[in-house]
Amino acid sequence: MKLEKSDLKDNVTIEISGSKSISNRLLILSHLFENTIMIENLSNSQDTQLLQEALSSDAEIIDIHHAGTAMRFLTSYFALQEGRITVLTGSERMKERPIGSLVDALRHLGADITYVEKEGFPPLKIIGKRLDKSSVSIPANISSQFISSLLLVGSKLENGLEIDLEGKITSRPYLEMTLKILRSIGIGTQWEGQIIKIFPNIQSEKNSQIIKCITESDWSSASYYYSLAAIGRKSINLKSFRPYSLQGDSDLKEIYWNFFGVNTISQGSESKISLLPESSFIFPEKIYLNMNDCPDIAQTLCVTATALQIPFEITGLETLKVKETDRLVALKNELFKIGCISEITDDSIFSLKFFEPNSQISIETYNDHRMAMSFAPFCLIKELTIENKDVVEKSYPQFWEDLEKVLEKN
């Protein structure tokens, strides 16, 4: 995808589909509770489509390709499907993404799961059975999706589930999102310190009525428009967003106001937000930020800062090493192409120097949707090419069409 150097149009309105994170949680719960949940504004992402297909399939081999959330959530889901044998597999990259902590936790609860190829990694052979234990410990610093996977099935265990979170808790807002969704459909939860409890669901005629859940739009996808507004200094409107969100990535509002002067104005009656750059905003000398709660928007922030040549030091990014690619390595490589020399550690990235980039910029995506979309706003600075543009289908299939709506060639 070649992106010519462009200007940002003013006051264009974009509508983004439902949150992938919320949609995927609701889909698992809908099938666990036998379709008593009606979901509106479901995400149109490839990940969500793959999860839907997997949940609707009665095949023994389930291939979820690159969909990491589906792999984690389905591991717990299929572990509970008594008498069913499932081989859960994915792409070559998926087979390199560790899942041992989740499998260990499920085995402790009584699950029958074996590794088909490499110990600690997919594919998995899962023989569904009744899980007879109700308490487990799991490291809290590897992936919040492992914990959410357990939380989603916890109420289906006879005595509920108590999870002891070991060590530093990463991506806390995603766990809070899962708990809020559970409570919204009537499941009791409790979180005190390092202990989360999910109370058993008592099925009866009274609580088996249809529950309607409207999925709010995706804040991770909104991040690219915040980047465009910050660089292009013109307003953008986004539809189907609520002023108070379940999603951790809604921290965007505070981050882009504090560091880039982009104000978020909510119009609740229209479920719309407006991104309004402050014309007199004074940019900081340097950005210091811990993004442990919202690591998925780190790539977007680094590209924004580079475009505006604001030095940055971002920490709390340890989970980026086990995403679709090692995002820290990928980010360092591609930031260099747009004029930023940076250094990385196991959990951080910081800029060292900005320079004038080459005229021919080609961004490698590493099969990672966020690499493609986070670098796209740099076209407001220079022409660039995004390799393998179709990776955006994973989370935001209409991205290129929507991007074109807000740009005009200069």
Side-chain angles (χ1 to χ4, degrees), residues 378-392:
F378 196 77
C379 72
L380 296 177
I381 305 297
K382 279 188 176 294
E383 177 182 295
L384 73 161
T385 298
I386 305 292
E387 299 175 16
N388 191 15
K389 67 180 179 66
D390 292 339
V391 294
V392 302

Side-chain angles (χ1 to χ4, degrees), residues 42 67 87 149 162 173:
L42 192 72
V87 175
S149 177
E162 179 178 306

Side-chain angles (χ1 to χ4, degrees), residues 74-91:
L74 289 171
T75 298
S76 297
Y77 174 83
F78 285 126
L80 265 66
Q81 304 308 303
E82 295 185 39
R84 177 171 177 176
I85 298 175
T86 307
V87 175
L88 190 56
T89 188
S91 65

Side-chain angles (χ1 to χ4, degrees), residues 262-322:
V262 177
N263 198 4
T264 304
I265 305 298
S266 295
Q267 301 176 39
S269 60
E270 299 181 43
S271 296
K272 183 171 76 172
I273 57 173
S274 296
L275 318 184
L276 304 175
E278 176 61 53
S279 59
S280 59
F281 182 76
I282 300 173
F283 293 106
E285 292 185 6
K286 188 171 184 177
I287 297 171
Y288 294 95
L289 189 60
N290 185 314
M291 300 188 74
N292 180 267
D293 284 348
C294 51
D296 280 347
I297 58 177
Q299 292 148 290
T300 310
L301 183 136
C302 290
V303 172
T304 309
T306 297
L308 297 170
Q309 298 205 336
I310 304 172
F312 56 86
E313 185 174 326
I314 312 300
T315 59
L317 304 178
E318 55 265 35
T319 60
L320 295 193
K321 298 188 75 64
V322 292

Side-chain angles (χ1 to χ4, degrees), residues 28 69-80 88 99 102-103 106 111 113 124 126 149 153:
I28 292 290
T69 307
M71 172 60 71
R72 279 81 178 263
F73 289 1
L74 289 171
T75 298
S76 297
Y77 174 83
F78 285 126
L80 265 66
L88 190 56
I99 199 168
L102 175 58
V103 171
L106 287 166
I113 305 175
L124 306 174
I126 305 168
S149 177
V153 302

